[in-house]
Amino acid sequence: MQVDAVLGYLDKVSRFDAQQFTPLFIGTERMGCVNAQWKERLLQHEPQLFEETFQGLKCKVKGSYRSISHALAHAARRWQQAGWLNGWRNENFTAFRQDGSPYFELERAAFRPLGLTSRAVHVNGLCRMEDGEARMWVGRRSPHKAVDPNRMDNLVGGGVAAGETLELALQRESWEEAGVARERVDGLKPSSLLLAQRPVARGLHREWLYAYDLWLAPGSRRPARMARWPNTCCCRFPRSNSCWWLSAS
């Protein structure tokens, strides 16, 4: 895989016309943005919660973290029952104010329709080969995933749940997705912080990615289906899907 091709693809998917989205305010905070389809749905079916102002779309809920979360949770359930939301996970994400303080939490399936910003931990599985070349683990997502099925991905990648610290999310996701024990990632610090933003079928994907580098022992197994990729090899962690090596040099 050529680096220029990857960079070109990332540039393509990250460019979009912001005019196609309407800013979403919750209280006085600008929290997200919605596309034309969701704007129409919210104004038509949720007039008690949403109204259009000169700034954009405003959610009228007020109060504490708990009361705002409660009101939006009931709304999200209505959207699910109406068939507007797919990929329901019964897992909440936290939405943060501009100053970084937690504002409310909401089912993660509703984040993209509202253009809310989530957080995720991603682990780059790196390996130093005998010849000094650096390589990176690349996993393939399940074809049954609601989001980006059968696409290539980091060794580990997952959202930070409401009430969860980055450290706990890193430990949980590393074990669940790659069988990496907690001790291997304890004390690991993010090597970079990236903002991923792109339009998707549900709305707008907007997420802060806390990326970690984890150095692993090189693997040696290569499945037959990878024979057409002469510069790759393949390993398998306990409880994980197959992972491919791509040269990082």
Side-chain angles (χ1 to χ4, degrees), residues 32-88:
C33 55
V34 297
N35 61 24
Q37 181 184 48
W38 272 93
K39 177 182 177 181
E40 181 181 359
R41 284 172 173 171
L42 296 175
L43 289 175
Q44 181 177 350
H45 298 281
E46 298 283 356
Q48 74 282 8
L49 285 181
F50 295 90
E51 63 180 356
E52 190 168 14
T53 71
F54 72 95
Q55 292 179 305
L57 192 65
K58 181 179 180 180
C59 179
K60 296 181 283 186
V61 295
K62 298 179 181 179
S64 64
Y65 179 102
R66 182 176 181 179
S67 61
I68 295 174
S69 300
H70 182 76
L72 291 178
H74 280 282
R77 278 295 182 185
R78 293 193 293 271
W79 306 339
Q80 181 200 24
Q81 292 166 3
W84 300 346
L85 292 180
N86 56 12
W88 191 277

Side-chain angles (χ1 to χ4, degrees), residues 98-225:
Q98 297 297 321
D99 64 6
S101 61
Y103 197 8
F104 60 88
E105 62 183 72
L106 182 63
E107 159 65 35
R108 62 183 294 176
F111 262 61
R112 289 184 171 192
L114 299 182
L116 301 173
T117 305
S118 55
R119 300 187 302 164
V121 292
H122 282 242
V123 176
N124 299 313
L126 303 174
C127 176
R128 182 70 64 184
M129 308 302 287
E130 292 182 359
D131 60 3
E133 182 183 53
R135 296 188 180 184
M136 182 172 70
W137 289 66
V138 178
R140 186 176 296 280
R141 296 170 64 84
S142 166
H144 307 295
K145 281 277 191 180
V147 177
D148 298 328
N150 212 35
R151 296 293 184 88
M152 303 186 87
D153 205 345
N154 293 88
L155 173 68
V156 173
V160 180
E164 190 174 43
T165 64
L166 292 175
E167 292 76 17
L168 287 176
L170 176 63
Q171 294 167 5
R172 175 180 55 78
E173 291 289 346
S174 295
W175 175 250
E176 289 178 357
E177 297 202 349
V180 175
R182 170 179 176 173
E183 293 75 19
R184 294 296 309 276
V185 296
D186 273 351
L188 205 61
K189 301 298 182 183
S191 58
S192 59
L193 177 60
L194 308 170
L195 178 62
Q197 181 173 269
R198 58 188 172 91
V200 293
R202 297 187 194 180
L204 183 69
H205 170 76
R206 182 177 169 84
E207 189 167 64
W208 282 109
L209 304 179
Y210 293 80
Y212 299 79
D213 290 339
L214 178 64
W215 288 90
L216 304 164
S220 58
R221 295 179 58 190
R222 181 204 303 260
R225 66 177 180 273

